[in-house]
């Protein structure tokens, strides 16, 4: 050991220990120390990453929703996945996401800026909702989210030519405009009554905001529905001065059961009717000239039709004079050849205590005397530049279509309806058409509309002054029009494509969409040539009887082909069921109709309404409930005088007097139902 004593002022004495050479035995200890240090650093790093991942996971989770870069899932309170949505228009940059309270927001995808958020809303203890919005900042970029529908059965959306309950999608469909269409002539499109609302059997619901330029597609192989917002190559148009930047916004809600979930959604998002139509419409059948006479109706035939209604002892809420009583389409004067003495005809009908409604429509054909007037006054929908009327083709020719966004056009149309009422005592009108497929792909209106189906809404408003007995076949956000809505013309066939089997799925779908005053079209269908089972002139006799029996349990009944066109037995069956409708069905329906004003709850209900925990009930499309205590099971197959019936748990009494006190659902196999019978069961 050495000791150094430096000289000079300010020096410092330092003890120095000389270096010692490492031995072979000490080298492993050093290596172990280095490894230990590395492990400690790794552990600390891993812990930091773990803490960061926990924070990120917490950031990307809001209540029962988990967000990732490609979409999100929602679980129920039990932890099961009940909803999944994938993002198809971009991948979120999760580093751009932040959370403030119940709002989770992101401002970038991996390649561009955007506005995106999910906000949690808990309006009730039993309901959890999530507001979702994806807004593009660059014009003409579509927004598309893909909902997986394999987790449950789904209901709602729109009417279709082939109607199933629950929804049954087939094939692949690129997103197309979700707008009202005439599915007689456009069978692959969405129907005339639609709302952007869907409900599932696992108590999940989705409502697309009305401001969205909404397009719907699907892939049945992947069990996916595509919700898309876009303006490019679309009839949707942004407001004047706005860039065509697409926004997809909607609300997803999860509840405890499907019935309470739907009740919440209806109360929150749907218009409600403000009055109940005329009670006679619920009690007594409506009689239309259409299926019997088509456009060949005239004064003599109308009076004979009315006389036979009385002769055979039937009641009548009102008599409907359908197409065609004018010389040309777009006029409001009676054809003097077909109706030579209109005033005397209406006086005769009034004396015989008939109320009369008239068929009307939004078209003015180019050969009509009113066409020039409408062009000169700018009352028609115009071509995109707004200089010329847009000619459209409809089932009765070519002409213009009245612009119901234009107050002057509304006043002109309404004045003619008032004139008919004043001059002849017309009770109401059947408002036909109104679907957006009769608008040109590109068009302009007096007042701008973003969503073409707003035109449908504006047309349905014309029925408000006549809603005691008015009839509409199209509807969009029109639940508060407070009149009867009719599914589009049925074919006189048995099947699901516009036939008898489509009737219950169609009525249930309309009900779920918030339209409760339902006129289920004409008994036996419309007897169209080449679309009729039977001898061609009349619907098949058995089909007619089964259709009659089913209609007796609907909110209202409508005849056109009369029972006396068949034989005395059919007349007697018709008397039996119009009487049963008046005594059993109408009182229940009227009571429920009064409740609709406050609740919006369906009058015609699916079986799952009272059996939310019953998987089988979610798939039944040939039975239904009136309220909660009357279950109906019609025969819908040709040549059958029996059917299988599914009874939910409860205490039931059949129309034959049998009692079923059951704690579990019961299948009645091959239950006998004669040709002149319909099976129904009352809750005891």
């Amino acid at each position: 050991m050495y000791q150094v004593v430096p000289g000079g002022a300010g020096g410092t004495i330092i003890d120095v220990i000389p270096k010692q050479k490492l031995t072979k035995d000490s080298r492993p200890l050093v290596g172990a120390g280095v490894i230990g240090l590395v492990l400690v650093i790794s552990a600390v790093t891993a812990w930091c990453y773990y803490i960061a991942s926990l924070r990120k996971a917490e950031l990307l989770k809001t209540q029962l929703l988990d967000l990732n870069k490609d979409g999100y899932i929602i679980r129920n309170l039990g932890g099961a996945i009940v909803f999944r949505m994938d993002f198809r228009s971009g991948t979120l940059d999760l580093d751009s996401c932040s959370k403030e309270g119940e709002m989770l927001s992101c401002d970038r995808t991996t390649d561009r800026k955007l506005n995106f958020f999910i906000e949690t809303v808990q309006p009730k203890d039993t309901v959890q909702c999530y507001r979702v919005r994806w807004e593009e900042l660059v014009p003409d970029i579509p927004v598309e989210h893909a909902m997986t529908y394999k987790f449950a059965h789904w209901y709602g959306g729109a009417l279709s030519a082939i109607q199933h309950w629950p929804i049954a999608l087939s094939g692949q469909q690129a997103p197309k405009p979700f707008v009202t269409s005439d599915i007689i002539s456009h069978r692959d499109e969405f129907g005339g009554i639609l709302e952007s609302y869907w409900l599932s059997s696992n108590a999940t619901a989705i409502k697309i905001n009305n401001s969205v330029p909404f397009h719907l597609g699907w892939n049945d192989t992947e069990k996916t529905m595509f919700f898309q917002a876009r303006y490019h190559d679309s009839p949707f148009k942004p407001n004047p001065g706005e860039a065509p930047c697409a926004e997809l916004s909607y609300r997803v809600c999860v509840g405890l059961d499907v019935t309470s979930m739907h009740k919440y959604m209806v109360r929150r998002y749907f218009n409600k009717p403000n009055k109940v139509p005329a009670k006679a419409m619920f009690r007594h059948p409506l009689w239309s000239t259409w299926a019997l006479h088509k456009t060949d109706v005239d004064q003599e035939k109308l009076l004979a039709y009315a006389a036979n209604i009385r002769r055979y002892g039937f009641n009548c809420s009102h008599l409907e004079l359908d197409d065609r009583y004018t010389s040309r389409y777009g006029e409001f004067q009676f054809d003097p050849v077909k109706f030579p003495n209109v005033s005397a005809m209406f006086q005769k009908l009034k004396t015989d205590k008939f109320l009369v409604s008239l068929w009307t429509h939004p078209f003015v054909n180019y050969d009509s005397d009113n066409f020039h007037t409408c062009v000169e006054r700018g009352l028609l929908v115009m071509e995109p530049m707004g200089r010329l009327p847009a000619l459209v083709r409809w089932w009765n020719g070519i002409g213009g279509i009245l612009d119901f966004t234009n107050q002057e056009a509304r006043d002109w149309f309404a004045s003619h309806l008032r004139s008919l009422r004043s001059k002849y005592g017309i009770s109401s009108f059947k408002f036909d058409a109104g679907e957006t497929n009769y608008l040109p792909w590109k068009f302009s209106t007096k007042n701008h509309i973003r969503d073409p189906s707003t035109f449908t809404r504006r047309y349905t408003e014309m029925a408000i002054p006549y809603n005691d007995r008015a009839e509409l076949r199209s509807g969009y956000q029109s639940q508060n029009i407070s009149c009867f809505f009719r599914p589009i013309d049925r074919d006189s066939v048995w099947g699901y494509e516009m036939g008898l089997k489509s009737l219950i799925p169609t009525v249930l779908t309309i009900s779920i969409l918030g339209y409760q005053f339902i006129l289920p079209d004409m008994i036996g269908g419309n007897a169209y040539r080449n679309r009729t089972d039977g001898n061609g002139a009349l619907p098949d006799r058995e089909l007619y009887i089964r259709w009659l029996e089913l209609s007796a349990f609907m909110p209202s009944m409508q005849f056109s082909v009369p029972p006396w066109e068949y034989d005395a037995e059919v007349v007697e069956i018709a008397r039996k069921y119009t009487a049963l409708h008046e005594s059993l069905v109408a009182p229940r329906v009227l009571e429920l109709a009064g409740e609709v004003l406050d609740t919006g709850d369906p009058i015609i209900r699916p079986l799952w309404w009272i059996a939310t925990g019953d998987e089988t009930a979610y798939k039944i499309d040939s039975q239904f409930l009136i309220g909660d205590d009357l279950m109906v099971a019609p025969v819908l197959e040709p040549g059958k005088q029996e059917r299988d019936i599914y009874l939910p748990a409860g205490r039931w009494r059949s129309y034959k007097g049998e009692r079923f006190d059951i704690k579990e659902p019961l299948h009645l196999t091959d239950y006998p139902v004669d040709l002149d019978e319909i099976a129904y069961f009352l809750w005891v």
Side-chain angles (χ1 to χ4, degrees), residues 331-456:
E331 297 176 359
F332 297 88
Q333 297 80 33
F334 280 79
D335 183 338
V337 176
K338 299 175 73 175
F339 296 86
N341 197 336
V342 182
S343 296
M345 178 186 76
F346 279 110
Q347 186 57 50
K348 169 64 174 169
L349 292 170
K350 182 178 179 180
T351 300
D352 292 340
K353 302 188 183 308
F354 282 100
L355 296 177
V356 181
S357 69
L358 295 179
W359 175 76
T360 191
H361 55 84
F363 305 103
V364 183
N365 277 13
Y366 71 90
D367 60 350
S368 164
D369 291 341
N370 283 327
F371 184 76
H372 179 74
T373 300
C374 291
V375 171
E376 287 294 310
R377 295 175 58 179
L379 306 184
L380 302 175
V381 172
M382 307 295 281
E383 47 78 36
M385 299 303 294
R387 291 193 293 263
L388 296 172
L391 293 182
V392 299
R393 182 181 295 277
W394 63 297
W395 67 90
N396 278 326
I398 297 174
I401 185 167
L402 288 167
D403 178 4
F404 291 102
T405 74
N406 181 348
Q407 188 60 49
E408 188 178 353
R410 295 166 69 91
D411 292 343
W412 181 84
F413 183 70
S415 69
H416 283 290
L417 301 188
R418 287 196 302 270
S419 178
L420 286 167
R421 169 181 267 187
S422 174
K423 189 172 183 178
Y424 301 117
I426 300 301
S427 66
S428 192
F429 295 89
K430 171 185 177 178
F431 292 83
D432 215 350
E435 299 91 351
T436 64
N437 67 283
Y438 291 111
L439 295 170
W441 181 252
K442 299 292 183 182
F443 64 92
S444 64
T445 50
K446 177 75 171 180
N447 291 302
H448 178 81
I449 53 176
R450 293 168 57 115
D451 181 347
S453 292
T454 303
F455 180 86
T456 298

Side-chain angles (χ1 to χ4, degrees), residues 285-288 320 322 430 471 486 519-524 551 556-560:
L286 181 163
W287 297 77
S288 169
E320 187 174 83
D322 212 297
K430 171 185 177 178
E471 171 189 334
R486 172 182 65 89
L519 182 66
D521 204 39
M522 299 167 192
I523 291 168
S551 293
S556 58
M557 300 179 71
Q558 184 178 28
F559 285 101
S560 184

Side-chain angles (χ1 to χ4, degrees), residues 31-49:
V34 172
I35 293 173
L37 180 61
V38 170
L39 290 174
V40 169
I41 294 172
S42 299
V44 171
T45 304
W47 177 255
C48 292
Y49 275 114

Side-chain angles (χ1 to χ4, degrees), residues 139-144 173-179 189 213-216 228-238 244-246 440-443 450 452:
D140 294 326
I141 295 179
V143 182
E144 187 173 314
Q173 172 63 55
K176 60 183 179 180
F178 191 71
V179 294
E189 300 301 324
F214 184 51
H215 298 65
L216 178 66
Q228 187 189 79
R230 76 169 191 260
Y231 289 111
H232 176 67
D233 189 28
S234 170
F236 289 88
K237 296 175 287 188
C245 295
W441 181 252
K442 299 292 183 182
F443 64 92
R450 293 168 57 115

Side-chain angles (χ1 to χ4, degrees), residues 139-362:
D140 294 326
I141 295 179
V143 182
E144 187 173 314
H145 293 181
M147 183 189 80
T148 300
Y149 62 83
K150 66 182 178 182
F151 297 119
H153 306 292
W154 285 85
Y155 313 91
L159 298 187
S160 59
I162 302 176
Q163 197 79 48
H164 290 288
W165 180 271
I167 294 170
L169 300 173
S170 61
Q172 299 181 21
Q173 172 63 55
K176 60 183 179 180
F178 191 71
V179 294
T180 59
S181 296
D182 175 350
I183 51 175
I184 295 177
S185 55
H186 297 77
R187 298 217 167 191
D188 293 331
E189 300 301 324
F190 304 112
I193 298 176
L194 57 71
E195 304 290 336
S196 53
Y197 166 70
W198 288 266
L199 174 73
S200 81
S201 58
N202 61 14
T204 306
I206 181 168
K207 176 68 177 71
I208 310 297
N209 288 356
N210 295 332
S211 61
V212 172
F214 184 51
H215 298 65
L216 178 66
W218 58 85
N219 185 320
D220 183 42
T221 303
E222 299 176 355
K223 303 300 179 188
T224 301
M225 294 172 66
F226 307 131
F227 298 153
Q228 187 189 79
R230 76 169 191 260
Y231 289 111
H232 176 67
D233 189 28
S234 170
F236 289 88
K237 296 175 287 188
N239 288 327
E242 285 186 0
C245 295
E247 174 192 312
L248 181 60
S249 53
Y250 54 88
R251 184 170 295 207
V252 180
C253 294
V254 180
L256 295 181
D257 65 80
V258 61
T259 301
S260 63
M261 184 72 262
H262 178 66
K263 286 184 175 185
Y264 167 75
M265 297 298 287
V266 167
R267 286 157 178 73
R268 176 66 178 82
Y269 293 109
F270 288 169
N271 295 320
K272 311 290 187 305
N274 53 39
K275 60 174 288 189
V276 176
K279 292 181 179 179
M281 283 280 289
F282 295 93
R283 291 172 175 156
H284 303 146
L286 181 163
W287 297 77
S288 169
T289 61
W290 173 247
L292 180 64
H293 293 302
K294 302 296 192 298
T295 58
D296 291 331
V297 68
D298 58 29
Q299 181 172 321
E300 181 181 353
K301 291 175 180 176
L302 178 63
L303 291 174
Y305 191 48
N308 278 327
I309 294 171
R310 293 288 183 248
R311 176 188 171 195
Y312 286 98
F314 289 97
N315 287 321
C316 175
S317 71
H318 64 273
L319 188 63
E320 187 174 83
L321 175 55
D322 212 297
D323 183 13
R324 149 184 194 184
Y325 55 89
T326 61
S327 300
R328 295 180 178 86
Y329 296 105
E331 297 176 359
F332 297 88
Q333 297 80 33
F334 280 79
D335 183 338
V337 176
K338 299 175 73 175
F339 296 86
N341 197 336
V342 182
S343 296
M345 178 186 76
F346 279 110
Q347 186 57 50
K348 169 64 174 169
L349 292 170
K350 182 178 179 180
T351 300
D352 292 340
K353 302 188 183 308
F354 282 100
L355 296 177
V356 181
S357 69
L358 295 179
W359 175 76
T360 191
H361 55 84

